[in-house]
Amino acid sequence: MSALGQASIPADAGDARGPETSSGVVQRWSAGSVLAMLVIAAAALVLRLLGARGDLWLDEIWTFALLEPLTSIDQIFWRINHDNNHFLNSAYLYLIGPDASSLLQRGLSVALGVGAVLAAGLLAASRGWRTAIVTSVLFATSYPMVHYGSEARGYAGLVLFTLLSVLFLERRLDNRGSAIGFAAIVLVGFLSHLTMAETVVILVAWASWLAWSRTGSLASANLEVGLIFAPAFLAVLPLAACVLLGSQVYGFQFGGVSSFSLQTFAQGYGGMIRYLFGLPSLMSDWICIGTACGLVLVSACLWRDRRTSLYVIGTVGLPLLMAAAHLPNVGFPRYFLVSGTLLLLVVGELLGRGFQAGGRGFLVSAAALAAMLVGNTSSLLQFYEHGRGSYSRMVGQMTPNGDTTYASGHDLRTGIVVDYFAGRLGRQASLVPADKMCSQPPDWLILEGGAHEQFQYVQPSSSCVLAFERTDAATAWGFSGIDWTLYRRRD
């Protein structure tokens, strides 16, 4: 059998045997580890609640815009054919409504985000309690996990059900798990976010590699993998049918598509890696990618563990496949969230082994974990300070008398956000198209991007004399949000 397909004794297996590990000690360790997990989960909850404060941003609000014309909750699954429709989150928001507090609107993601921390610890527990604890700490404090675990979208569920699908698949591979349970996890993963397809591709490739390594027969491997994944395929089939049928009737829309380039690929994957571990900005995107992939490959050669092949496929193989296929939108780090989830597991296992080794290994792991915590603390402080942008304040400034007019450089995006917050205030803000600014001079002008903050006055049209003076600006930080600069017309 290949080294990547072999099984090994868990890193902390020594903790459960030998003269030092009487039943009393094992019980104390178990009680202590459970208590530690509860403390970590509580900390994860606090961090995500802090991240859930503040205004909803464009993509969260867009979901409400998609939900507005619906007359029943089932239409979420076949009538909304848009890449911003994350089914589980959309159903939750449909029930909660647009007038609830942002904290409640993000409540499902907060719960799923904390669940992902516990699932990561559970998945890492087979490597020993030290590995379980350090892995949970990484998932609890890593900025991307906090960010997506506090945003009203589907990415928190994607992380949670990716972790659970690995756990359930391993049980299936050991002939201990339920086929129905695994199928249910995969289905709910797709309901959380269609990027769950990345997870399934990784798991199919991993199971195929393990089966072929064990049997040496491609036919036997295909049969074994087919039997494992057939229930999951059947579970997802109705959802796929709804999406396909709806796209034929209503069409399918993308919020935006950016073309592929190696530079955007590096920005997306390298950015995800940098933020996962709080790495300094002076490390280039390619250095981040090379370091992470090199670490995974070296670990695969040293550990000789069944799960290392999963890590290689998910953190090296999938991104290479995405690059080779020239997929669009890879400049957004969120499209590498599945690979990032597996990368956190790799590092958690590596640190856990260092803690278990004691001596110099313990010190190196402790120093590395401390550096990651410092880096992520810096990211989280900036995230908490700026959030995903401040929009309601500006809409309130625009509409002190109830009604107003405004123009924007991005009519669709800005219009969705302004309409949402104006509606919550019970006011009206009418958008003036750019080609009608001269004939219908707007009272206000909203420009996107922080670069506009440096201009106190702007003249947006060359066809007529219109002058606007800056009155406010807000900066978003991190993976989500839009910088706004607000200008008022000077008469």
Side-chain angles (χ1 to χ4, degrees):
M1 183 190 298
S2 168
L4 293 179
Q6 293 179 358
S8 66
I9 298 173
D12 294 358
D15 295 339
R17 60 186 182 181
E20 297 180 359
T21 56
S22 65
S23 59
V25 176
V26 172
Q27 289 174 4
R28 286 203 302 272
W29 280 349
S30 297
S33 62
V34 169
L35 179 60
M37 290 295 297
L38 292 176
V39 172
I40 294 169
L45 175 61
V46 172
L47 294 177
R48 282 149 182 78
L49 288 175
L50 291 173
R53 299 170 303 162
D55 292 341
L56 300 186
W57 79 289
L58 172 65
D59 283 13
E60 296 172 296
I61 296 169
W62 206 326
T63 304
F64 284 115
L66 295 173
L67 293 172
E68 186 175 1
L70 303 189
T71 57
S72 60
I73 194 170
D74 61 282
Q75 295 177 14
I76 291 172
F77 302 94
W78 55 270
R79 186 171 177 179
I80 303 178
N81 293 285
H82 195 286
D83 68 331
N84 202 59
N85 180 26
H86 308 156
F87 303 105
L88 196 60
N89 180 67
S90 295
Y92 175 77
L93 293 181
Y94 182 90
L95 297 173
I96 293 298
D99 296 325
S101 68
S102 60
L103 196 63
L104 182 59
Q105 289 166 336
R106 291 164 171 157
L108 175 63
S109 294
V110 170
L112 295 178
V114 175
V117 174
L118 296 173
L122 185 62
L123 187 59
S126 61
R127 302 299 187 260
W129 66 271
R130 291 182 178 87
T131 302
I133 290 174
V134 72
T135 301
S136 298
V137 169
L138 290 177
F139 274 85
T141 59
S142 179
Y143 161 68
M145 297 300 161
V146 175
H147 181 105
Y148 291 120
S150 60
E151 185 167 288
R153 303 175 78 197
Y155 294 101
L158 173 65
V159 174
L160 171 60
F161 296 110
T162 290
L163 292 167
L164 291 179
S165 65
V166 173
L167 181 65
F168 275 65
L169 177 57
E170 285 190 327
R171 293 178 62 85
R172 290 282 292 144
L173 293 173
D174 295 333
N175 296 316
R176 295 185 294 112
S178 165
I180 295 177
F182 177 61
I185 291 297
V186 172
L187 173 60
V188 183
F190 272 102
L191 289 173
S192 297
H193 202 287
L194 293 181
T195 309
M196 186 71 180
E198 292 183 10
T199 302
V200 172
V201 168
I202 293 170
L203 296 183
V204 169
W206 182 45
S208 299
W209 167 256
L210 294 178
W212 180 80
S213 298
R214 187 180 65 257
T215 65
S217 169
L218 187 59
S220 298
N222 288 337
L223 177 61
E224 182 176 330
V225 172
L227 292 175
I228 291 174
F229 284 91
F233 172 78
L234 294 175
V236 175
L237 195 58
L239 177 63
C242 288
V243 173
L244 291 175
L245 179 61
S247 63
Q248 291 298 316
V249 176
Y250 298 100
F252 196 93
Q253 294 180 321
F254 291 90
V257 177
S258 61
S259 59
F260 173 87
S261 71
L262 284 177
Q263 180 181 1
T264 57
F265 169 82
Q267 290 173 350
Y269 195 26
M272 173 58 73
I273 293 169
R274 180 181 296 105
Y275 282 110
L276 277 172
F277 303 107
L279 301 177
S281 58
L282 56 86
M283 290 185 64
S284 72
D285 296 325
W286 286 113
I287 289 178
C288 290
I289 294 173
T291 301
C293 293
L295 182 67
V296 173
L297 292 173
V298 169
S299 299
C301 294
L302 295 177
W303 292 351
R304 296 180 176 274
D305 182 278
R306 180 177 72 178
R307 198 178 286 174
T308 55
S309 54
L310 168 68
Y311 299 150
V312 171
I313 292 169
T315 63
V316 181
L318 178 66
L320 284 177
L321 181 62
M322 295 168 68
H326 285 201
L327 295 182
N329 293 343
V330 292
F332 298 102
R334 61 180 178 266
Y335 289 103
F336 296 95
L337 189 57
V338 172
S339 295
T341 298
L342 296 177
L343 193 56
L344 273 182
L345 289 175
V346 176
V347 174
E349 188 166 338
L350 182 62
L351 293 177
R353 289 172 181 265
F355 283 120
Q356 168 61 21
R360 184 176 299 177
F362 183 95
L363 295 177
V364 170
S365 291
L369 180 60
M372 294 176 197
L373 292 176
V374 170
N376 275 304
T377 298
S378 175
S379 296
L380 290 175
L381 288 176
Q382 294 182 77
F383 174 51
Y384 295 151
E385 178 182 0
H386 298 287
R388 300 169 177 87
S390 299
Y391 315 102
S392 59
R393 183 185 72 231
M394 294 190 189
V395 175
Q397 292 181 47
M398 292 165 54
T399 58
N401 299 318
D403 297 338
T404 193
T405 59
Y406 72 98
S408 171
H410 296 277
D411 290 355
L412 175 62
R413 295 199 305 232
T414 306
I416 290 175
V417 177
V418 171
D419 287 347
Y420 175 77
F421 287 109
R424 287 178 67 99
L425 294 170
R427 302 172 185 176
Q428 177 68 39
S430 301
L431 176 66
V432 176
D435 59 353
K436 295 184 178 180
M437 288 183 64
C438 293
S439 60
Q440 303 175 27
D443 299 320
W444 301 87
L445 175 66
I446 298 174
L447 296 179
E448 293 183 4
H452 298 293
E453 291 185 36
Q454 61 184 305
F455 301 113
Q456 184 65 27
Y457 303 97
V458 295
Q459 293 181 339
S461 177
S462 59
S463 302
C464 58
V465 179
L466 285 176
F468 291 83
E469 181 179 5
R470 180 169 63 85
T471 63
D472 201 355
T475 302
W477 189 91
F479 287 163
S480 302
I482 302 173
D483 297 342
W484 268 16
T485 306
L486 179 65
Y487 292 86
R488 185 168 190 170
R489 195 181 81 235
R490 298 177 64 201
D491 293 324

